[in-house]
Amino acid sequence: MAEVVRMPKMSDTMTEGVIAKWHKKVGDKVNSGDLVAEIETDKATMDFESYQEGTLLYIGPKEGEAVAIDAVIAVLGEPGEDFQALLSGDAPAAEKAPEKTEEKKAEEVSGPESSASTVTPEELGCTVITMPLLSDTMKEGVIAQWNFKVGDTIKSDDAIADVETDKATMEVTAYADGTLLYVGLEAGQAAKVNDIIAIVGPAGTDITPLLNQKSAPAKAETAEAPKADSAAAVTAAPVASTSSDDSRVKASPLARKIAQEKGINLSDIKGSADGGRIVKKDVESFVPAAAQPVETKAAAPATEAKAITLPTFVGEERYTEKPVNQMRKTIARRLAESLFTAPHFYLTVSIDMDNAMAARAQINEVAPVKVSFNDIVVKAVAVALKKHPAVNSSWQGDKIRFNEHTNIGVAMAVEDGLLVPVVRFADGKSLSHISAEVKDFAQKAKAKKLQPADWEGSTFTVSNLGMFGIDEFTSIINSPDGAILSVGAIQAVPVVKNGAVVPGNVMKVTLGCDHRVVDGATGAAFLQTLKSLVENPVRLLA
């Protein structure tokens, strides 16, 4: 009996999935555990394995199309089995079985008037490429770079453009063979999700009917500026100093970005990936030919003492403007919502770090992984939250949620913004376990390989700028958390102990609270418990 296959929910924030690639086609035999497709979720591309067996009778969405959660994407059953009754009215545009296609063609022939009024891409033999939904927060994408121009021949696996989202720069694949007939916007401009960005089809095809039916994507705000200003902005942007055009070279967006920053021409690099595609490691390991040194003339020393005169110095006022990337837009929106929605207040306390410094030195003599002061703070925060559940809470509008688990978000700076991976159930983990987990998150964050499950579900956040020498600061709460801890640097200062002034090591921490769920006395009690734990770290090992 035929069974439908639905778009799975692969993260708690996922509302849609994009079919990045089908690994099976209609008529193929599918076994349980077979890789059927690759699905782009809100933060990553994941493999989708079948939990059913049968022959693939129907494929709904095409590669590159977005599909809502639980929508039908395929049907499995016996060869020749009638499955039409299983398809609901809201099923995605389908790659139907041959008999269905023939029926549709027959209907179109019998109704010439209706077919003349609505022309489909399939009738013209064209493929319409739209702006894909690459994350749950994405509303628009910016074309970072076009890899082809109108009139070029395109293959189905060609990456025709690099699109900048709120999290990363990703490639848009053509998924069709033909000629690039239409480009809807220029590099640097934005298009809303599902707007047409390009059309691929047979050379010479008149695509005017398609463009008349669907409006071209909205232009970026920067497009309203005069062309001269746009040219100036492009000139000011960092580009690789190269004597030849490397835009046609196959390379990943990250590899292309690194090459631009280093001033390397991609044409000089040999790619190690499939089809000679250049990836990050190829750029990082590339050693350019040594440049010839430029001779400079040393200023001749003055032989005679002369009267000091101040030459006239003429300066030039200059500046560079850079478009806001998608990650920065999302950070700005989320933090503004948090700051202007949640009433913040802050509490600061000084912690004596002498015992913690001594304990850390002893721990690292036997620990399999080097433990940092931040690891000690994360552990202490988790233990303290168990004693003060009101701080481990969040505002839900008509109710307050008191979390019984302690998932600590650790704020990490990346090149384009900030990510907050989560150490789950931190109160039950050893310091070495926390340290290893945080280090792994840091490596993934820099390589842009964090998965949605890595940063979802925090109940409290720790932000540490002490490593940058910041003595004390405040942070904006990471919604929907009810509080955030800002950790400053350890300072060597004189302190009073037993009535005497002696050298000491002090660290200031500031608790930012959402006053809707945390009161002043509640926050103060939490800080006292945290202070006691950090000043006596042996309690964290019990």
Side-chain angles (χ1 to χ4, degrees), residues 1 20 26 44 60 78 96 114 123 140 154 174 187 209 230 297 424 426 441 445 491 502 542:
M1 181 177 178
V26 171
E78 297 297 329
K96 301 187 187 287
S114 61
E123 291 173 340
E140 63 180 16
I154 305 295
S230 299
K297 295 183 179 180
R424 302 182 186 282
F441 282 146
Q491 306 174 65
V502 296

Side-chain angles (χ1 to χ4, degrees), residues 303-325:
T303 56
E304 298 180 0
K306 296 182 179 179
I308 298 176
T309 58
L310 296 178
T312 301
F313 183 83
V314 180
E316 180 183 0
E317 294 184 357
R318 303 172 61 185
Y319 63 87
T320 300
E321 291 184 346
K322 182 179 178 181
V324 179
N325 62 39

Side-chain angles (χ1 to χ4, degrees), residues 18-90:
V18 176
I19 301 296
K21 183 177 183 181
W22 284 106
H23 288 274
K24 300 287 185 180
K25 62 182 182 296
V26 171
D28 284 355
K29 176 67 176 176
V30 178
N31 296 317
S32 178
D34 282 355
L35 178 60
V36 177
E38 294 176 19
I39 296 177
E40 291 182 7
T41 70
D42 49 352
K43 301 294 189 299
T45 300
M46 303 182 182
D47 293 338
F48 174 53
E49 297 179 357
S50 175
Y51 295 97
Q52 301 150 298
E53 295 186 356
T55 299
L56 189 56
L57 304 176
Y58 164 89
I59 286 179
K62 296 181 180 180
E63 294 179 346
E65 289 186 357
V67 183
I69 296 300
D70 290 331
V72 177
I73 61 174
V75 176
L76 293 175
E78 297 297 329
E81 185 176 357
D82 183 11
F83 57 85
Q84 299 301 328
L86 296 176
L87 301 180
S88 59
D90 58 351

Side-chain angles (χ1 to χ4, degrees), residues 53-221:
E53 295 186 356
T55 299
L56 189 56
L57 304 176
Y58 164 89
I59 286 179
K62 296 181 180 180
E63 294 179 346
E65 289 186 357
V67 183
I69 296 300
D70 290 331
V72 177
I73 61 174
V75 176
L76 293 175
E78 297 297 329
E81 185 176 357
D82 183 11
F83 57 85
Q84 299 301 328
L86 296 176
L87 301 180
S88 59
D90 58 351
E95 176 191 323
K96 301 187 187 287
E99 62 271 20
K100 181 63 178 179
T101 303
E102 292 174 1
E103 292 174 3
K104 182 176 180 180
K105 287 183 177 178
E107 291 174 1
E108 291 171 353
V109 171
S110 63
E113 294 181 0
S114 61
S115 63
S117 61
T118 303
V119 179
T120 64
E122 290 78 9
E123 291 173 340
L124 298 178
C126 298
T127 298
V128 173
I129 302 173
T130 59
M131 177 62 70
L133 179 68
L134 301 174
S135 77
D136 63 321
T137 57
M138 177 179 171
K139 298 183 184 300
E140 63 180 16
V142 175
I143 299 295
Q145 174 178 294
W146 284 106
N147 299 326
F148 295 88
K149 62 183 182 295
V150 172
D152 286 350
T153 300
I154 305 295
K155 294 182 179 180
S156 61
D157 60 347
D158 282 340
I160 64 169
D162 296 342
V163 173
E164 183 183 281
T165 72
D166 53 348
K167 299 296 181 187
T169 299
M170 302 182 184
E171 295 177 344
V172 174
T173 305
Y175 298 118
D177 295 333
T179 300
L180 185 58
L181 304 174
Y182 170 79
V183 168
L185 64 166
E186 299 177 359
Q189 294 181 339
K192 294 181 180 179
V193 171
N194 293 329
D195 276 353
I196 297 175
I197 60 173
I199 297 177
V200 176
T205 302
D206 182 9
I207 59 172
T208 305
L210 295 178
L211 298 179
N212 290 339
Q213 290 170 204
K214 296 183 180 181
S215 59
K219 305 296 183 182
E221 293 180 4

Side-chain angles (χ1 to χ4, degrees), residues 342-347 477 510-516 518-521 523-524:
H344 287 52
F345 74 91
Y346 297 95
L347 302 170
I477 296 170
T510 300
L511 181 68
C513 305
D514 181 349
H515 216 325
R516 295 174 299 180
V518 180
D519 295 325

Side-chain angles (χ1 to χ4, degrees), residues 329-340:
K329 286 182 181 178
T330 301
I331 290 173
R333 176 176 55 80
R334 287 177 58 90
L335 293 184
E337 289 174 355
S338 175
L339 182 61
F340 298 121

